[in-house]
Amino acid sequence: ALEAQGCAVLRIDTGPEPFAFPMKACQWITQKTIGLRLARDREPLVLRRLGHRLSRRIQEAGVDVVLSPSSLLITYLECVEPAVFWTDAVFSGMLNFYDSFNNLTNRSIRNGNAMEQRALDRCAYAVYTSDWAATQVPKSYRVDQSKLRVLPYGASFLGLQEDRVEDVIRGRPTDRCVLLFSAMEWHRKGGDIALDAVRWLNENGQPAELRITGKHPPVTLPDFANYLGFINREQLEREFAAAHFLILPTRADCAPNVFTDASASATPSLATDVGGVSTLVKTGRNGRTFSLEAEGRVYGEFVKLMMADKTAYAELARRSFQEFRTRLNWTVAGREIRSLLFQSCLPSANRPR
């Protein structure tokens, strides 16, 4: 995206994890002895070594500005170049949100918060992919809020050609509603709720099919559900384009790109209003979000209503594609992040607030 905006991009490898063996041993011992998790990626010893390594490579490369996909990578940068990180979450917001951030040791929580603070102090801008993540920051850390920005990532797909959108929408099956569930974690992504929604549809007069990609569900699938396995990008694009809806009643999420991919395919998304999802899925524009407590029946009722009104459905599908065209693509994201990188090279007093 940056290269398309005329930037010269040099990718710098982080190299192997510092102190991997002893840190993994400490992690294992901690889990076995006290039943808590040690977050080795938040250890100052690890990040200090990593920062020294990256600083040396950055200085050798002679770059003007550093863009990092993680706040952790800039915590101990020693170089003078300005740094911007662009990520989907903040440490405090992830605690007890994802399973991997449950049951951390007090040391890991202290380190995690301290490292996040160091990154916020060091960066010129902290860019988050959702409003949810950005609003977590001032609640937990000392930060100049003029540093904070919200910018979603673009879709993984190039997206439909604009002159194909109407044909794709019209070409979707008319004998049934096809819902796509694309995820690696069945329970966290709400797979059971998706199944219940499609079951409710079939039991209430609307023929429906659930098509599943990714990791095999840990349940026996009914006849109306088809597991497609791990498929390549070309096949996945076809599945998105053929589906009436993407359904992902996720229990915990930051800003999954699957929603931007759905919009790129003119496919409305059905999702939970949790984490950063509502930045990507706007009710009435490219789908609908539901409460965390919503059962499959609630999703099913909305789908049945939309399938009964072909005009309303087609308009929602068109608006979904327009969300991709106007804000959920890499051209927009690249242009915005390029602007921030240029601004970060200005003296801090001259940066837009």
Side-chain angles (χ1 to χ4, degrees):
L2 283 170
E3 290 170 334
Q5 296 295 323
C7 298
V9 178
L10 179 65
R11 295 166 179 83
I12 296 178
D13 184 16
T14 59
E17 178 185 342
F19 309 109
F21 179 75
M23 290 308 304
K24 287 180 181 178
C26 288
Q27 199 173 39
W28 185 85
I29 292 169
T30 302
Q31 180 70 47
K32 291 297 182 182
T33 55
I34 61 176
L36 297 177
R37 292 176 172 152
L38 179 72
R40 68 179 191 267
D41 61 339
R42 312 275 161 176
E43 284 291 321
L45 178 67
V46 172
L47 293 174
R48 194 176 286 114
R49 174 65 65 87
L50 188 59
H52 179 72
R53 180 192 299 162
L54 289 173
S55 297
R56 186 176 66 252
R57 293 179 180 180
I58 289 167
Q59 289 169 349
E60 291 170 353
V63 301
D64 298 308
V65 61
V66 176
L67 175 62
S68 169
S70 166
S71 59
L72 293 177
L73 298 178
I74 73 165
T75 50
Y76 284 98
L77 278 188
E78 302 157 1
C79 55
V80 297
E81 290 79 6
V84 174
F85 66 81
W86 189 9
T87 189
D88 63 358
V90 61
F91 179 74
S92 62
M94 295 298 288
L95 288 174
N96 302 314
F97 186 53
Y98 274 29
D99 287 346
S100 57
F101 285 79
N102 292 344
N103 299 318
L104 294 180
T105 64
N106 288 335
R107 173 190 175 90
S108 288
I109 294 172
R110 286 195 304 271
N111 284 339
N113 283 316
M115 296 304 100
E116 201 75 25
Q117 185 65 62
R118 284 189 66 94
L120 290 165
D121 292 341
R122 172 67 175 84
C123 73
Y125 289 106
V127 187
Y128 298 95
T129 55
S130 71
D131 299 290
W132 165 76
T135 56
Q136 296 289 319
V137 178
K139 296 176 182 178
S140 305
Y141 306 103
R142 301 180 309 276
V143 63
D144 177 352
Q145 294 195 43
S146 67
K147 287 184 173 186
L148 304 180
R149 295 289 189 275
V150 175
L151 181 61
Y153 297 141
S156 303
F157 302 158
L158 292 176
L160 299 174
Q161 294 294 321
E162 196 147 12
D163 59 3
R164 287 196 60 231
V165 171
E166 294 299 324
D167 289 341
V168 167
I169 296 171
R170 283 195 299 268
R172 288 170 182 160
T174 57
D175 61 334
R176 69 195 186 284
C177 176
V178 177
L179 296 97
L180 179 66
F181 179 87
S182 183
M184 291 295 293
E185 298 178 63
W186 178 257
H187 293 297
R188 182 170 70 83
K189 297 290 187 174
D192 290 335
I193 297 171
L195 266 184
D196 287 345
V198 181
R199 180 179 292 109
W200 185 92
L201 284 166
N202 282 293
E203 291 174 351
N204 286 271
Q206 172 60 64
E209 175 189 6
L210 182 66
R211 295 176 70 80
I212 302 165
T213 70
K215 193 173 181 179
H216 196 287
V219 297
T220 301
L221 295 176
D223 291 342
F224 60 75
N226 291 304
Y227 174 62
L228 307 177
F230 292 95
I231 58 179
N232 62 39
R233 178 172 296 188
E234 183 179 342
Q235 293 171 311
L236 192 58
E237 287 191 56
R238 286 200 296 268
E239 288 297 327
F240 269 96
H244 293 92
F245 295 96
L246 169 72
I247 183 168
L248 201 74
T250 182
R251 309 289 84 195
D253 243 316
C254 296
N257 253 45
V258 69
F259 295 125
T260 60
D261 293 341
S263 289
S265 308
T267 302
S269 295
L270 308 177
T272 321
D273 186 4
V274 67
V277 169
S278 61
T279 296
L280 303 181
V281 181
K282 303 289 188 183
T283 293
R285 284 161 55 179
N286 61 339
R288 180 174 172 181
T289 58
F290 299 82
S291 73
L292 192 61
E293 296 76 26
E295 300 175 346
R297 171 186 57 80
V298 179
Y299 287 79
E301 288 173 345
F302 176 76
V303 171
K304 185 177 180 182
L305 186 67
M306 294 302 298
M307 295 306 291
D309 188 341
K310 303 301 184 186
T311 301
Y313 170 76
E315 182 56 31
L316 183 60
R318 291 186 200 102
R319 286 199 295 267
S320 297
F321 182 72
Q322 286 308 309
E323 285 294 290
F324 162 73
R325 291 280 294 170
T326 56
R327 70 182 187 95
L328 299 177
N329 65 77
W330 279 112
T331 300
V332 170
R335 185 167 59 242
E336 293 296 321
I337 201 68
R338 175 184 180 275
S339 176
L340 287 177
L341 293 175
F342 271 79
Q343 291 168 24
S344 71
C345 295
L346 299 173
S348 56
N350 295 340
R351 292 171 191 158
R353 303 181 71 83

